[in-house]
Amino acid sequence: MSKADPAVRRQIEALIAVEIAAYPVGDRAGRMTVEAFKANLREPRPVTVNFSGGITQKCWSVTRGDGCYRVIYLPSAGYFSLCVESDFGPLDIGVHGDAIGCYASV
């Protein structure tokens, strides 16, 4: 997996576009959540994620880190994860699901 893998990048971008289009923005909170999420999106790029038990996996970072958290796509599972930043790189904290839901959970 590399940054040059356009098929995976397009797949991730398509999943996120569907989420953004379907997210309920009928109230102020929904609009603010989507706008904040969109402002933190980045072009998906490969990253090694740490999991409990010393396991690592190649995943894709989809949001900029805010110093504490970032959203990652796990291709082997087909969903997104909220990761905490650590001295050893992103660490999966068990918050999984759609990208906006993971992002909004903090």
Side-chain angles (χ1 to χ4, degrees), residues 46-83:
V47 64
T48 300
V49 175
N50 298 290
F51 294 85
S52 60
I55 297 167
T56 61
Q57 183 177 341
K58 297 291 184 188
C59 299
W60 290 76
S61 178
V62 300
T63 64
R64 292 174 192 79
D66 66 359
C68 295
Y69 300 98
R70 72 172 125 160
V71 177
I72 305 291
Y73 179 70
L74 288 77
S76 64
Y79 53 67
F80 294 88
S81 170
L82 183 67
C83 290

Side-chain angles (χ1 to χ4, degrees), residues 12-24:
I12 296 166
E13 290 168 344
L15 289 170
I16 291 171
V18 167
E19 280 190 44
I20 290 171
Y23 199 81

